[in-house]
Amino acid sequence: MTREERDKRAEVIAEMRGRGMTQRAIAAELGISPGAVYYICVRYGIDDGCRGRAQVRHPVARRGRTTVRRFTETEDETIVTMSLAGAKNVAIARALGRKPHSVLVRQMIIARHQEMSQ
């Protein structure tokens, strides 16, 4: 998918969210997963990325056959501190024992939460 196609998809999702559609409904209409809609919302700042319900924060979650470690407050602080110091995502990921893409997505989520709280 080209950058233009991704941007167009984000515009469509933003318009659908603006009409009050849920991420699940958008996903069904566009033929993509709800997780993809969530990621696009966070990535493009379409909305707060909230899935619509409070989530119980367990340290580990299962997604299919994959175990996912949730980010802790300490890890979030490390991401912010290292990012502000100019560290690259690869260095931050190594320091946390995470993948660089996980750090990138977490940076976007942290930034969006900070923006919403102002």
Side-chain angles (χ1 to χ4, degrees), residues 42 80 104-118:
V42 170
V80 170
L104 171 67
V105 172
R106 191 62 185 173
Q107 286 171 325
M108 291 186 292
I109 292 170
I110 291 169
R112 187 67 180 151
H113 284 253
Q114 288 175 344
E115 181 180 298
M116 300 278 300
S117 68
Q118 294 176 354

Side-chain angles (χ1 to χ4, degrees), residues 1-83:
M1 179 176 280
T2 67
R3 176 174 291 207
E4 291 80 21
E5 291 170 332
R6 283 192 308 268
D7 290 346
K8 180 64 178 162
R9 178 173 275 179
E11 288 175 20
V12 169
I13 290 173
E15 187 271 325
M16 294 169 98
R17 288 293 288 161
R19 287 189 282 142
M21 290 181 69
T22 65
Q23 291 177 8
R24 182 171 288 165
I26 293 168
E29 188 167 317
L30 297 178
I32 60 177
S33 72
V37 175
Y38 171 77
Y39 174 79
I40 291 167
C41 287
V42 170
R43 172 76 172 91
Y44 287 86
I46 293 170
D47 58 19
D48 64 359
C50 180
R51 292 180 186 255
R53 62 176 185 244
Q55 295 181 359
V56 177
R57 300 286 298 181
H58 297 287
V60 178
R62 297 279 303 166
R63 293 199 180 117
R65 289 180 273 168
T66 305
T67 300
V68 180
R69 289 185 301 128
R70 297 192 190 277
F71 281 88
T72 65
E73 287 183 33
T74 304
E75 288 175 316
D76 285 351
E77 290 169 9
T78 300
I79 289 170
V80 170
T81 302
M82 290 182 75
S83 295

